[in-house]
Amino acid sequence: MSSFLRKIGIKGKLGDNFGAIIILALSGSVIFGLPFFRFDYYDAYISTYHLTNTQMGVFGTVIGVFGIVSYLFGGVVADGMSVRKVIVVSLAGTGIGGLLHLLPLGFKGLLCVYALWGVSTTFAFWPACVKAVRVMSDKDSQGKAYGFFEGAQNIGGAVAALAAVALFNWGASRMANEVLAMKYVILFYAFVNIAMSIVALFVVKDDSMMLSGARVSFKGLVKVIKNPAVWIICLVSFCNHVFCLSIYYYIPYVTDILGASVAFGAMLGVFRKFGSIGGNIAGGYLADRFGTARLMLLAFIVMLGGQVLLLLTPVGKAGIIIVAVLFVTILVFFHMNYAMAWTMMSEGAVPVEYSGTAAGLICMAGAVPETFVSILAGNIIDTHPGESGFRYFFYFLTAVIAAGFVLILIWRNYLKRARIDKSKFDEKAMEDLKQYV
């Protein structure tokens, strides 16, 4: 196995810790299954729990609000707490939330469950994973490390999604009961989360994570807040997460507006998970070779072009294949972009010892879209039924992608100026040194 990893460029610290990174990735792949599975079964979920599109959006808002608060403190905790404890508690808490979801809950009860998931899937879990991956890889292999981390997450998520689809179809067809079928899906994801928490308890070793933090401290928070690189990454993360949440609305657009079958839409949903793998891994190799900023600029250009073409595609069955191809293309480049956003911390020289704190702030910025994107989309679609509602939302999404493109231009200029400033500092230091020689 080690020889194969070396052949594909996985060596050094990354090669030594590759297995641990995959375990972290698989944990991340299942922990988000419960809070977001409702999008894969959008129509069935609404009918099962008697909800409106706006109420579906409120769930996303609840996750976002609790996520913002959680990430603010969770990033600091990630710099000084056991990674194993963070992962185990987060996975177990998410699984317990799934079991609570099986109770006969109304809208308010469901809000409480989503609030629990808003804490259990965020807080220190994601910042701890981000920091661990950075620490467990060399500086020149950050792209590959995060690429395989995101890719393995998507593989795990895709396999889990396929199993969930099989369970739902079995319950819906054999039992002729969509409500029961939905409960099978929830029970499956709850069981997988609890099972992964047990695996993490015995497999993840803190000593192999090489984390530098020894205790929880807010000392690094001020330093991170003063770093302009972190703020630029936060804004890029904001744009990325707006798009990440918006991906789910392509499928109802293809089925409800263009007239594709539900099965076709479900396969697009599965491909969303499998198709992203190539973008994650290929993006990792390309970022290590050509630089993160250059790759992300290309990704935003392709995403923007694809979104404009999608808006120009005529509505009707003739546009189904065109939109599906555009969806896949945009998806691949988005996941190149999404995975590489974390390598911006290394490119921007964010101190390693404060990686968790920085990741917490970046995740907090990424959680902000949770508070309004889903409810905004649901409200627009409810207020403007049919094609117009989706088009209005896609106009908004196009503007966000354009903003991300501008931010990467700013990032490239920041890196250029930072190198110039460092060069001037080094020249001045040499001149001062000559006075004593």
Side-chain angles (χ1 to χ4, degrees):
M1 183 63 177
S2 58
S3 61
F4 171 75
L5 291 177
R6 284 194 295 271
K7 286 180 181 178
I8 61 174
I10 307 299
K11 52 190 176 181
K13 289 172 67 177
L14 177 57
D16 295 338
N17 298 294
F18 191 74
I21 290 175
I22 296 302
I23 293 295
L24 288 175
L26 293 177
S27 298
S29 72
V30 299
I31 199 168
F32 294 112
L34 280 167
F36 296 104
F37 85 97
R38 71 188 189 279
F39 287 111
D40 291 334
Y41 306 87
Y42 196 91
D43 294 333
Y45 195 94
I46 281 181
S47 62
T48 298
Y49 295 101
H50 311 291
L51 304 168
T52 65
N53 289 296
T54 302
Q55 287 176 322
M56 283 282 278
V58 171
F59 294 146
T61 300
V62 169
I63 290 176
V65 169
F66 278 83
I68 290 171
V69 177
S70 296
Y71 280 133
L72 179 62
F73 299 102
V76 177
V77 171
D79 279 331
M81 184 177 174
S82 160
V83 171
R84 180 172 63 178
K85 290 179 181 177
V86 169
I87 293 172
V88 170
V89 172
S90 299
L91 289 166
T94 303
I96 291 170
L99 296 178
L100 292 174
H101 196 300
L102 292 171
L103 298 173
L105 302 175
F107 177 63
K108 292 181 180 179
L110 290 174
L111 283 178
C112 294
V113 172
Y114 278 92
L116 169 61
W117 286 338
V119 176
S120 68
T121 62
T122 56
F123 194 58
F125 176 81
W126 195 244
C129 287
V130 170
K131 180 176 181 179
V133 173
R134 182 180 180 184
V135 173
M136 291 189 294
S137 55
D138 299 296
K139 189 174 182 180
D140 60 354
S141 63
Q142 296 279 298
K144 288 189 283 291
Y146 284 111
F148 276 101
F149 175 66
E150 291 286 348
Q153 275 193 80
N154 284 298
I155 291 173
V159 172
L162 282 174
V165 167
L167 279 170
F168 181 82
N169 288 338
W170 180 79
S173 60
R174 187 165 181 174
M175 303 280 187
N177 188 333
E178 281 197 348
V179 175
L180 186 61
M182 188 65 62
K183 290 186 177 182
Y184 286 156
V185 173
I186 297 167
L187 184 61
F188 166 75
Y189 276 118
F191 172 77
V192 171
N193 272 274
I194 293 171
M196 278 302 299
S197 72
I198 297 171
V199 171
L201 179 64
F202 292 100
V203 174
V204 176
K205 304 295 181 184
D206 287 314
D207 57 351
S208 69
M209 296 299 157
M210 299 172 288
L211 296 177
S212 58
R215 59 187 178 85
V216 176
S217 171
F218 286 87
K219 180 178 65 176
L221 186 59
V222 176
K223 292 184 178 180
V224 169
I225 289 175
K226 290 181 178 179
N227 192 327
V230 173
W231 286 103
I232 298 174
I233 301 171
C234 282
L235 292 173
V236 172
S237 179
F238 174 87
C239 292
N240 277 339
H241 279 80
V242 168
F243 188 86
C244 185
L245 293 167
S246 303
I247 287 175
Y248 299 106
Y249 293 94
Y250 283 91
I251 294 174
Y253 177 72
V254 171
T255 55
D256 295 348
I257 307 303
L258 300 186
S261 66
V262 175
F264 185 85
M267 286 311 299
L268 280 180
V270 173
F271 187 83
R272 186 184 69 242
K273 299 180 183 296
F274 278 110
S276 61
I277 297 167
N280 294 147
I281 297 175
Y285 281 92
L286 291 172
D288 285 341
R289 184 178 179 87
F290 300 108
T292 298
R294 189 178 300 177
L295 178 67
M296 293 184 72
L297 190 65
L298 172 64
F300 271 117
I301 290 173
V302 174
M303 289 168 62
L304 185 59
Q307 188 66 23
V308 171
L309 288 174
L310 186 146
L311 287 168
L312 295 175
T313 302
V315 173
K317 288 187 178 296
I320 292 174
I321 300 300
I322 297 173
V323 171
V325 171
L326 289 172
F327 171 73
V328 171
T329 303
I330 293 170
L331 185 75
V332 169
F333 279 88
F334 163 68
H335 280 283
M336 281 187 182
N337 184 351
Y338 189 82
M340 295 311 103
W342 294 115
T343 69
M344 293 174 75
M345 288 200 296
S346 294
E347 194 173 58
V350 176
V352 175
E353 61 268 27
Y354 300 126
S355 294
T357 302
L361 287 176
I362 295 166
C363 288
M364 185 175 70
V368 171
E370 289 275 10
T371 65
F372 71 88
V373 170
S374 295
I375 197 169
L376 173 67
N379 184 259
I380 289 174
I381 294 170
D382 281 340
T383 307
H384 304 278
E387 176 193 351
S388 60
F390 282 95
R391 281 196 167 272
Y392 288 144
F393 181 68
F394 287 156
Y395 288 144
F396 160 75
L397 182 57
T398 304
V400 172
I401 297 172
F405 170 76
V406 172
L407 285 169
I408 297 301
L409 291 178
I410 294 172
W411 176 254
R412 292 183 72 182
N413 185 57
Y414 167 78
L415 294 177
K416 184 178 180 181
R417 291 181 61 184
R419 282 193 290 269
I420 292 173
D421 292 344
K422 184 177 184 301
S423 175
K424 288 180 178 179
F425 175 80
D426 291 342
E427 289 174 6
K428 184 178 184 303
M430 288 301 295
E431 290 298 324
D432 291 342
L433 183 62
K434 286 178 183 178
Q435 296 179 13
Y436 300 96
V437 177

